[in-house]
Amino acid sequence: MSERKPYRVGYAPGAYDLFHIGHLNILRHARQRCDYLVAGVVSDEMAERAKGHRPVIPLIERLEIVRNIKYVDAAFVETVPDKLETWKQVRFDVLFKGDDWRGTPRGDRLEKDFATVGVDVVYFPYTVHTSSTQLRRALDALTQQSAPAPQGGQLNG
């Protein structure tokens, strides 16, 4: 007899750019709490709107990576900023987020909005030592170091 999990359908949204251990941890922990896990992969435009820059990895590739993680039952492209609109399409019982959202205005709004439709918001520990933002900074630094220095030239004339 299998053990009944606390939730039937879980939803774990994210950009999942530069996929790393923090992403894997959220998906693993989420799957342990639900029977069926949908990973919401935000579109390039949505990620740019939320973070101020486009993802390094294009949507189609991020979607393919996430849908092939063994903890994920389905992947959904998130194209609207309103999570309640996404809920109307996916119909999940619980939304999973990193605990960097807990106690923030965004997290409080998320909890309040989802309480109106009976959806719980569950937070998992944020992986402090690795983040896509840190990886992006490291890539930018490497790119700047390896770029050839501009040549100072004189105009012939």
Side-chain angles (χ1 to χ4, degrees):
M1 185 169 148
S2 67
E3 180 184 326
R4 175 79 172 112
K5 301 205 175 150
Y7 300 100
R8 195 173 64 76
V9 179
Y11 187 70
Y16 297 108
D17 193 24
L18 302 171
F19 196 90
H20 57 76
I21 192 68
H23 297 138
L24 188 62
N25 286 340
I26 282 183
L27 295 171
R28 177 184 15 231
H29 293 304
R31 188 62 178 83
Q32 291 169 350
R33 303 284 295 271
C34 63
D35 294 323
Y36 190 86
L37 179 62
V38 178
V41 181
V42 300
S43 68
D44 293 343
E45 296 76 19
M46 286 277 301
E48 184 173 23
R49 187 174 176 178
K51 299 185 180 221
H53 53 77
R54 292 181 78 77
V56 173
I57 309 298
L59 172 63
I60 194 75
E61 293 177 23
R62 292 182 288 120
L63 189 62
E64 189 65 17
I65 290 165
V66 170
R67 84 163 31 115
N68 282 286
I69 302 297
K70 71 179 183 178
Y71 307 112
V72 174
D73 295 296
F76 175 82
V77 176
E78 205 174 289
T79 59
V80 294
D82 183 350
K83 294 284 191 254
L84 282 175
E85 284 300 315
T86 299
W87 173 80
K88 288 176 185 174
Q89 295 174 28
V90 180
R91 294 294 177 166
F92 45 88
D93 307 308
V94 59
L95 181 124
F96 299 106
K97 289 299 285 177
D99 67 2
D100 56 319
W101 277 61
R102 186 192 312 265
T104 67
R106 294 182 312 175
D108 293 344
R109 186 172 55 254
L110 203 60
E111 290 176 39
K112 184 176 145 244
D113 289 349
F114 278 118
T116 66
V117 293
V119 171
D120 291 338
V121 177
V122 172
Y123 299 99
F124 292 125
Y126 182 74
T127 307
V128 178
H129 62 277
T130 305
S131 76
S132 296
T133 301
Q134 290 171 326
L135 292 171
R136 180 183 272 276
R137 284 187 193 131
L139 285 172
D140 287 347
L142 288 171
T143 303
Q144 290 172 359
Q145 288 176 3
S146 65
Q151 299 292 324
Q154 296 179 1
L155 292 176
N156 293 331

